[in-house]
Each structure stands twice: as C-alpha cells, then as structure tokens.
Amino acid sequence: MDRDLSDDDSVVDLSFEAESPPAPPAELLERLPSCDWLLQGGGQQIFFPPLEAPGRPLEQRCWSSFMEHSRVPMMTEEVAREALLSFVSSKCCYGRAAAGDLVIQELKQQTLCRYRLETFTESRISEWTFQPFTNQSVDGPQRGTSPRLWDIKVQVPPMFQEDTKKFQVPHSSLVKGCHKCHGRGRYKCSGCHGAGMVRCPSCSGAKRKAKQSRRCQMCSGSGRRRCSTCSGRGNKTCATCKGEKKLLHFIQLVIVWKNSLFEFMSEHRLNCPGELLAKAKGESLFKDESTMRQTIELIPLTEVHYWYQGQTYVYYIYGTDHRVYVVDYPERYCCGCTII
C-alpha cells in the first residue's frame, strides 16, 4: 500500500532519529484544535484499523483425511541404523560400535500433523515528542487539519515481515521554550555549582597536605582545581535542546507491523519431546496465504527399540531430515554432550 501525499501533507520519516528525552509537562502544550481527536484521554493513543472481512478459514477436516494423502516413506531398519550412525559420528564422546552392532527389535512409526496459522497485523500509536528547534519550517495547524491516523499512507512491508516505523503527523507542530533549561540553552554545572572550580581532591582545599610543609602539587597550592564536569566553564550545554533554547513539539505516529503465530501439533503416543517436534522439518501438505497464512505439514516420527549386550534401549527419529533423539546410549564415555 503506497500513496503519495500532497506537499502540505508530506510525512517525515523519523525511524532513524535518536530517542527523544522525556516529554515536558503536559500543561506546556496547548490543545491543537485540529489534533484533539489524536490524543483524547491522555498523551498516547493506540489505533487499530477498521475491521475487515477475515480471510477464508481453513475448512474443518479430521486429521485422518490429511493422512490419506501422506507421502512420507515408511521407516526401515537400514535407514534407522544410518540415522543413528550419523548422529553418533557428530558426537565426540559416543562410540560407533554400539550403533553398528545393535539389533533393532521394533520400529513404531507415527505421522504427526502440524498446523500453523500466521496473522499479520498493523497497529498505530500517536504520541507527543520533540526535537531541538533550529529555525526549520514549522508545519503547524495554520497549514490545515491533521489527517486521521489511518488516512496517512505509508509503505507497507512485505506480508509477514515485522517492522516498526515512525512518522511526523502533518500540521501538528508547535514551538516552545525548552522546559529543561527554561529557554536559556545552558544550565548551571552540578559539579561546581557554576563556579568553574572545585575543591582540590588531594589536599581537600587546605593547599598543603597534612603534616607536610610544602604546598600541594596537584593544585599548586591554590586549594582549588578546574571542574572536570564542565571544563571550568561553570555551565553545560542543555542536552535536551542542544543549546538551541527552543523545542519543536509534534505528534509522532508509530506504526508496528507484527506477525503472530499459532501452532497446533496432533497428539502422539510416543515419548519424544514436544520442543524437538516443534522445530522438526516436515512435508508440506497444504498452504494458503492471503490476509492469513495457513500451513499443514506432516512430521514423521519413529520410536526405535533395539538390543545391545543383553539390554534393550530406545531412540527416536523425527522429521523428514531424520534427526535423532537418544534416550540412553550404551556407549557413552563422558557427560559433556547434550543428547539432542
């Protein structure tokens, strides 16, 4: 969505401006008749777009109907052993002998459905902000009525790509004296209270150190040192107005594009951690993208029971890329590796 406004309604991009200092007291800013609706009830308002007809929801169908179209291949003993050997090779403290000599007793395979719904929303916040006034042009209410927030057209990022942008609302500007320095551009140094000099830290202002007859070398016997906070000037440039004495106040529009994700995994009877399955690669079975993005993926999961040196063990193979989760591997030499 992109539409150019007229010269009077041009929008200034503030996305790369530094964060503004705290705002002045509200009573310093008189109401702008053309902007009253923007800030009703306080200094900040959040606006959401008018409701639109939602995208076509996914038709309700039982999971078994999707399974009928599954093209996930069946797990074999050969593939199960190769997956474990590959996993063991990536671990420094796992021996390959067990993976090569084990006897696979049973393969319990199950195909899971993972449903994801992504919604892309835009919200708009209006708030007062300011910047030093450097005699730039002032786009105030005398130039016209401020547009309503949802009438301000901006470049929208690609769908499902999060972003935040800041813009100056047209015709909302006014100039005020700086509330921090009271319009002076400078304020008294707090380190020396405006004197430019401070008591010598070496002799504490005595000009000589205790039990010494010679004068203090740090202050040359004066008992005073130049203030390091203000470099001896006695005052500092106001950080709020940068010495300009005045501030340009205006209403800032903050637009946030957010992608929200809802995910559902079908139930399974195998003891594989859910956080691993949530990240597993799957086979895409269904995809629909409009104002919402919906996907259904099939996640293969296999529980492998095997025998090695008189004991039975188990491991899991999940995802189309055959990732392995080991419950208890019989040939492990240290505890420095995470079993995932």
Side-chain angles (χ1 to χ4, degrees), residues 19-190:
E19 292 294 328
S20 299
E27 57 267 19
L28 289 181
L29 303 175
E30 70 262 17
R31 285 286 190 180
L32 299 179
S34 62
C35 299
D36 277 349
W37 63 271
L38 289 174
L39 297 163
Q40 295 170 358
Q44 186 180 86
Q45 285 274 21
I46 302 177
F47 295 87
F48 293 93
L51 292 177
E52 297 179 356
R56 179 174 55 87
L58 181 67
E59 295 178 2
Q60 292 191 2
R61 300 164 64 183
C62 62
W63 293 115
S64 58
S65 65
F66 289 111
M67 301 299 187
E68 295 173 359
H69 303 283
S70 173
R71 295 181 297 275
V72 177
M74 293 295 294
M75 180 61 62
T76 64
E77 290 189 10
E78 181 182 1
V79 174
R81 189 184 301 274
E82 289 178 355
L84 182 61
L85 283 169
S86 177
F87 170 80
V88 168
S89 298
S90 67
K91 303 295 181 182
C92 62
C93 53
Y94 280 55
R96 289 179 56 88
D101 298 338
L102 61 82
V103 177
I104 294 178
Q105 297 177 314
E106 185 180 11
L107 298 175
K108 293 183 178 180
Q109 187 169 6
Q110 186 174 356
T111 302
L112 311 179
C113 276
R114 181 173 60 200
Y115 171 68
R116 283 175 173 164
L117 172 64
E118 295 176 82
T119 54
F120 191 57
T121 59
E122 175 182 331
S123 62
R124 299 192 174 196
I125 300 174
S126 65
E127 59 187 6
W128 278 109
T129 189
F130 58 84
Q131 63 188 34
F133 177 63
T134 56
N135 293 319
Q136 65 264 46
S137 176
V138 180
D139 182 17
Q142 70 278 3
R143 293 193 175 183
T145 301
S146 294
R148 301 185 68 86
L149 294 190
W150 285 102
D151 291 337
I152 298 176
K153 304 298 182 182
V154 299
Q155 181 66 44
V156 177
M159 289 290 288
F160 309 106
Q161 180 175 311
E162 295 187 342
D163 200 2
T164 298
K165 293 286 187 180
K166 298 178 181 180
F167 302 92
Q168 181 175 333
V169 175
H171 315 322
S172 67
S173 302
L174 56 90
V175 177
K176 289 285 186 180
C178 178
H179 56 277
K180 179 68 175 181
C181 64
H182 303 288
R184 297 183 179 90
R186 308 183 71 83
Y187 54 85
K188 186 184 294 186
C189 175
S190 59

Side-chain angles (χ1 to χ4, degrees), residues 258-277:
K258 183 176 178 59
N259 188 34
S260 299
L261 173 65
F262 168 79
E263 186 172 282
F264 173 80
M265 182 79 72
S266 63
E267 294 183 359
H268 63 91
R269 300 176 299 276
L270 305 180
N271 194 28
C272 186
E275 59 269 20
L276 297 181
L277 297 176

